[in-house]
Amino acid sequence: MDVARNIVGAIVGIAFIWIGAAHFKNPKAFNEIVPSYLGAPYFWTYASGVFEIALGVGLVIPATRIMSARCLVALVLVMSLANLNMYLNDIPFNGNLLSATGHVIRLIVQVVLLLVLLWMGAIF
């Protein structure tokens, strides 16, 4: 079980680091999906990027994996506001408008990601 968690932790951790870095490389793409009622889109884009990078590193390191995975569950749920905003207001991400099928696939990926994070966080 530890070997599986190490492999999945490295893969998912590196993915979060890469996505977090993308928040700094192309903040405009992420700013566009920040719900307007939150205001300050650059703040939310950069803050989420910092958390994704830090917690992604935490997933890679076995000693911090459980806490990082639990924190990422909360972060992914909070960031779902942006995904919901994108869906409800038909907002393109980085110039690409998702179809209804695309939104469903994105939702499924998020649910699977949450389940993986719950498993890595020893929630179940």
Side-chain angles (χ1 to χ4, degrees):
M1 191 67 93
D2 283 343
V3 172
R5 278 193 169 91
N6 287 340
I7 293 168
V8 174
I11 292 168
V12 175
I14 290 168
F16 268 105
I17 293 165
W18 182 76
I19 293 165
H23 284 65
F24 294 92
K25 184 178 179 187
N26 186 12
K28 188 175 183 302
F30 295 93
N31 288 348
E32 291 171 354
I33 63 171
V34 172
S36 60
Y37 59 84
L38 289 177
Y42 276 98
F43 169 79
W44 296 111
T45 294
Y46 292 141
S48 61
V50 166
F51 281 116
E52 286 176 334
I53 292 167
L55 295 171
V57 170
L59 283 183
V60 174
I61 302 168
T64 58
R65 182 171 300 129
I66 289 174
M67 186 56 64
S68 292
R70 290 177 180 181
C71 290
L72 278 166
V73 168
L75 184 65
V76 168
L77 289 172
V78 169
M79 290 189 317
S80 293
L81 293 173
N83 296 328
L84 182 62
N85 182 49
M86 193 171 134
Y87 168 72
L88 292 176
N89 296 303
D90 208 23
I91 300 170
F93 180 77
N94 204 22
N96 299 311
L97 196 58
L98 291 181
S99 65
T101 303
H103 284 292
V104 170
I105 290 169
R106 188 176 172 105
L107 175 63
I108 291 168
V109 168
Q110 281 212 284
V111 169
V112 170
L113 175 61
L114 285 168
L115 291 172
V116 168
L117 290 170
L118 289 168
W119 171 70
M120 282 194 298
I123 307 283
F124 66 83

